[in-house]
Amino acid sequence: FDEGLVDECWAFLAPKILGGNARAAVGGYGVDFVSDAATLREVTVEQFGPDVLIRGYTGKFDPA
């Protein structure tokens, strides 16, 4: 994300609480304000049993 190399993002959410020393879902520098965060386009949401997949495109990438 920091280098602008991500075109598509897939995020799986599971009903699990890791806590403790768990790894962050996204590394890098991050942002100081929510308004500076990357915004996904053409977002889809699918459920796989108890898990949920959120998928979308970043930046100016055009999947067509």
Side-chain angles (χ1 to χ4, degrees):
F1 281 95
D2 291 340
E3 301 297 327
L5 301 175
V6 177
D7 293 328
E8 184 176 5
C9 183
W10 293 40
F12 281 92
L13 302 177
K16 306 284 183 192
I17 305 298
L18 301 179
N21 294 324
R23 301 252 179 201
V26 177
Y29 296 112
V31 296
D32 292 325
F33 302 100
V34 173
S35 60
D36 295 332
T39 300
L40 298 179
R41 298 178 291 102
E42 299 182 44
V43 174
T44 60
V45 179
E46 298 177 61
Q47 188 162 359
F48 297 91
D51 301 337
V52 175
L53 166 62
I54 301 171
R55 186 171 80 182
Y57 300 101
T58 63
K60 297 177 182 174
F61 179 73
D62 182 4

